PDB file of all heavy atoms in Angstrom:
ATOM      1  N   SER A 221     111.806  66.576 196.893  1.00 98.00           N
ATOM      2  CA  SER A 221     112.746  67.694 196.910  1.00 98.00           C
ATOM      3  C   SER A 221     114.142  67.217 197.342  1.00 98.00           C
ATOM      4  O   SER A 221     114.280  66.107 197.881  1.00 98.00           O
ATOM      5  CB  SER A 221     112.256  68.794 197.864  1.00 98.00           C
ATOM      6  OG  SER A 221     112.157  68.275 199.180  1.00 98.00           O
ATOM      7  N   VAL A 222     115.127  68.054 197.084  1.00 98.00           N
ATOM      8  CA  VAL A 222     116.479  67.798 197.612  1.00 98.00           C
ATOM      9  C   VAL A 222     116.905  69.008 198.434  1.00 98.00           C
ATOM     10  O   VAL A 222     116.684  70.148 198.043  1.00 98.00           O
ATOM     11  CB  VAL A 222     117.516  67.488 196.508  1.00 98.00           C
ATOM     12  CG1 VAL A 222     117.170  66.203 195.772  1.00 98.00           C
ATOM     13  CG2 VAL A 222     117.687  68.640 195.533  1.00 98.00           C
ATOM     14  N   LYS A 223     117.532  68.721 199.559  1.00 98.00           N
ATOM     15  CA  LYS A 223     117.976  69.794 200.434  1.00 98.00           C
ATOM     16  C   LYS A 223     119.478  69.922 200.278  1.00 98.00           C
ATOM     17  O   LYS A 223     120.224  68.945 200.375  1.00 98.00           O
ATOM     18  CB  LYS A 223     117.626  69.413 201.884  1.00 98.00           C
ATOM     19  CG  LYS A 223     117.347  70.626 202.755  1.00 98.00           C
ATOM     20  CD  LYS A 223     116.764  70.170 204.077  1.00 98.00           C
ATOM     21  CE  LYS A 223     117.716  70.579 205.201  1.00 98.00           C
ATOM     22  NZ  LYS A 223     117.355  69.987 206.483  1.00 98.00           N
ATOM     23  N   LEU A 224     119.937  71.152 200.026  1.00 98.00           N
ATOM     24  CA  LEU A 224     121.374  71.374 199.828  1.00 98.00           C
ATOM     25  C   LEU A 224     122.044  71.770 201.141  1.00 98.00           C
ATOM     26  O   LEU A 224     121.394  72.232 202.071  1.00 98.00           O
ATOM     27  CB  LEU A 224     121.599  72.475 198.786  1.00 98.00           C
ATOM     28  CG  LEU A 224     120.918  72.294 197.424  1.00 98.00           C
ATOM     29  CD1 LEU A 224     121.335  73.402 196.471  1.00 98.00           C
ATOM     30  CD2 LEU A 224     121.256  70.930 196.831  1.00 98.00           C
ATOM     31  N   LYS A 225     123.354  71.625 201.146  1.00 97.00           N
ATOM     32  CA  LYS A 225     124.143  72.014 202.318  1.00 97.00           C
ATOM     33  C   LYS A 225     123.975  73.498 202.624  1.00 97.00           C
ATOM     34  O   LYS A 225     123.931  73.904 203.774  1.00 97.00           O
ATOM     35  CB  LYS A 225     125.628  71.711 202.033  1.00 97.00           C
ATOM     36  CG  LYS A 225     126.517  71.765 203.270  1.00 97.00           C
ATOM     37  CD  LYS A 225     127.965  71.511 202.906  1.00 97.00           C
ATOM     38  CE  LYS A 225     128.574  72.747 202.246  1.00 97.00           C
ATOM     39  NZ  LYS A 225     129.977  72.643 201.868  1.00 97.00           N
ATOM     40  N   SER A 226     123.822  74.295 201.556  1.00 97.00           N
ATOM     41  CA  SER A 226     123.629  75.737 201.737  1.00 97.00           C
ATOM     42  C   SER A 226     122.295  76.079 202.379  1.00 97.00           C
ATOM     43  O   SER A 226     122.047  77.226 202.719  1.00 97.00           O
ATOM     44  CB  SER A 226     123.750  76.423 200.372  1.00 97.00           C
ATOM     45  OG  SER A 226     122.756  75.887 199.501  1.00 97.00           O
ATOM     46  N   GLY A 227     121.417  75.075 202.485  1.00 97.00           N
ATOM     47  CA  GLY A 227     120.111  75.319 203.061  1.00 97.00           C
ATOM     48  C   GLY A 227     119.011  75.440 202.025  1.00 97.00           C
ATOM     49  O   GLY A 227     117.815  75.328 202.344  1.00 97.00           O
ATOM     50  N   ASP A 228     119.416  75.685 200.754  1.00 97.00           N
ATOM     51  CA  ASP A 228     118.388  75.802 199.708  1.00 97.00           C
ATOM     52  C   ASP A 228     117.706  74.466 199.461  1.00 97.00           C
ATOM     53  O   ASP A 228     118.278  73.398 199.670  1.00 97.00           O
ATOM     54  CB  ASP A 228     119.045  76.281 198.398  1.00 97.00           C
ATOM     55  CG  ASP A 228     119.487  77.738 198.493  1.00 97.00           C
ATOM     56  OD1 ASP A 228     119.092  78.407 199.476  1.00 97.00           O
ATOM     57  OD2 ASP A 228     120.226  78.192 197.611  1.00 97.00           O
ATOM     58  N   VAL A 229     116.473  74.561 198.973  1.00 98.00           N
ATOM     59  CA  VAL A 229     115.707  73.362 198.643  1.00 98.00           C
ATOM     60  C   VAL A 229     115.296  73.423 197.178  1.00 98.00           C
ATOM     61  O   VAL A 229     114.778  74.457 196.722  1.00 98.00           O
ATOM     62  CB  VAL A 229     114.457  73.238 199.572  1.00 98.00           C
ATOM     63  CG1 VAL A 229     113.588  72.062 199.143  1.00 98.00           C
ATOM     64  CG2 VAL A 229     114.891  73.073 201.024  1.00 98.00           C
ATOM     65  N   LEU A 230     115.563  72.374 196.429  1.00 98.00           N
ATOM     66  CA  LEU A 230     115.191  72.319 195.022  1.00 98.00           C
ATOM     67  C   LEU A 230     114.138  71.200 194.850  1.00 98.00           C
ATOM     68  O   LEU A 230     114.128  70.250 195.610  1.00 98.00           O
ATOM     69  CB  LEU A 230     116.411  72.027 194.134  1.00 98.00           C
ATOM     70  CG  LEU A 230     117.572  73.016 194.264  1.00 98.00           C
ATOM     71  CD1 LEU A 230     118.794  72.498 193.500  1.00 98.00           C
ATOM     72  CD2 LEU A 230     117.175  74.404 193.738  1.00 98.00           C
TER      73      LEU A 230
END
Side-chain angles (χ1 to χ4, degrees):
Chain A
S221 61
V222 296
K223 211 170 117 191
L224 306 185
K225 193 182 75 179
S226 58
D228 289 348
V229 174
L230 303 171

